[in-house]
Amino acid sequence: MQVFKFGGASVKDATAIKNIGTILQSYTSKPLLIVVSAMGKTTNALEKLAESYFNQRNDVHEIFEEVKNYHFEIIHQLFDQQHSVYDEVSNTFVEIDWIIEDEPVDEYDFIYDQIVSIGELVSSKIIGQYLNHIGLTTKWLDARSYIQTDNVYREAHINWDKTSELIQKDIPKILANGFAVTQGFIGNTSENFTTTLGREGSDYTAAIFASCLNAESVTVWKDVSGILNADPKLFDDCIKFDELSYEEAIEMTYYGATVIHPKTIKPLQNKHIPLYVKPFLAPHESGTVIREATIAISTPIIIVKNSQVLITLHTKDLAFVTENQVSDIFKAFADAYIKVNTLQISALTFSASFDFDENKFDRFKTLLSADLDLRYNTDLKLITIRHPNNEAIKKHVSGEIYLEERNRNTAHFVIKV
Ligand code: ASP
């Protein structure tokens, strides 16, 4: 069996959904599970809605109306007026009505997940119905019946034992009778509350299903021709890779290559499942395959990550930074759910850069020991160059370098822009 994932751009309007229908017509001979994201920029809009509601601003209903209109406009172009999808989608949106009619009492992250997850639920319902409408037998599955998580809202962790048991019990039978379509990005706690797996997490969902089902492959359909050596939105002379190793893909995504969610690769690597990245506008092109291989790369890969914070800690009495202090600092990072991107330790200072998230950073500050002094800069950019050469560094690194870290395979520059 295979797993396909269609992201926001590939389901952003009626034409895009029709294109999915056309692609899937040529994949009816094998069992196929389809994972979909929310449509277009819906997750951003629902994020705004959740934030507005939490802060009790008065544009909540306006944002919600826009989200609903956008979806109903798409439905209108795909189905006739009597189709049951209208009611199905309305009934799903009602869940947001129920939340916003009362004042918020729960924590923000919990509310966020209950609201933002509706994007995937609605999108999968529309796509599932459309595929049936064009004669491709498709069963809609609620991913929350399979993807079991802890209750770290907005960044939930998978309970692999439970998840694989549920997936293996049901899904092979379902796929014997046609396609199945389900939501990326969302999961379920043991108390039956909805969680999300982190922004762009639908790729990860596809990998979870594939791993639990020992799939033959996963294909992520994108608006680019495959994996490129740089973001085509930022650079114009990009080169596509035909194949990459799992390790290379993990390094690239960890440092901000947004083409695949960073957590996607590991479960596939563990089961030796290849991951194809293919263009949904040219489905017959080969794209890029990520698989078990030793692949020598000579082209520098450029990855840019914005919104970085660089911290420097030193002891208040200007004594050496001790191993115990370093260990405490890392405990604070872990407890604040901060993933460090670059790191440098000197005799008197400890410097690190990471993605700026106000809540996580505030928490980190409260967890730091009182004998450390903290200084930091925000709004920095991290440029990572894999397989660096001097020409690539000269070409791509400009601005004031605040921190530089380099080995034979990777060079990092934290710069002020
Ligand atoms: N819809 C979610 C997001 O935009 C998940 C995804 O697309 O992968 O982050």
Side-chain angles (χ1 to χ4, degrees), residues 233-305:
K233 290 184 198 109
L234 303 177
F235 303 99
D236 47 16
D237 48 356
C238 302
I239 293 163
K240 178 187 80 88
F241 293 110
D242 292 335
E243 55 177 354
L244 287 172
S245 66
Y246 291 120
E247 286 80 6
E248 191 65 52
I250 290 173
E251 291 284 355
M252 286 174 73
T253 55
Y254 184 88
Y255 285 107
T258 51
V259 68
I260 297 288
H261 187 278
K263 285 187 187 162
T264 310
I265 318 287
K266 194 69 197 141
L268 301 180
Q269 182 181 23
N270 290 347
K271 295 277 185 92
H272 313 286
I273 299 169
L275 170 65
Y276 292 88
V277 177
K278 285 194 175 219
F280 58 74
L281 290 176
H284 299 296
E285 283 183 11
S286 58
T288 301
V289 58
I290 300 167
R291 62 184 181 86
E292 192 86 73
T294 318
I295 299 158
I297 293 184
S298 52
T299 315
I301 300 173
I302 323 295
I303 310 150
V304 179
K305 213 173 195 199

Side-chain angles (χ1 to χ4, degrees), residues 55-71:
N55 296 310
Q56 292 288 284
R57 288 201 295 264
N58 49 19
D59 57 354
V60 176
H61 291 276
E62 193 187 315
I63 302 170
F64 190 26
E65 281 311 304
E66 266 176 41
V67 171
K68 285 195 283 192
N69 290 343
Y70 165 64
H71 286 84

Side-chain angles (χ1 to χ4, degrees), residues 6 11 17 20 24 34 36-37 39 79 122-132 138 181:
F6 291 97
V11 295
I17 294 169
I20 293 185
L24 294 176
I34 303 151
V36 298
S37 301
M39 295 178 160
F79 304 92
V122 167
S123 137
S124 59
K125 286 190 175 174
I126 298 172
I127 293 161
Q129 285 284 15
Y130 177 73
L131 296 178
N132 280 304
T138 305
V181 67

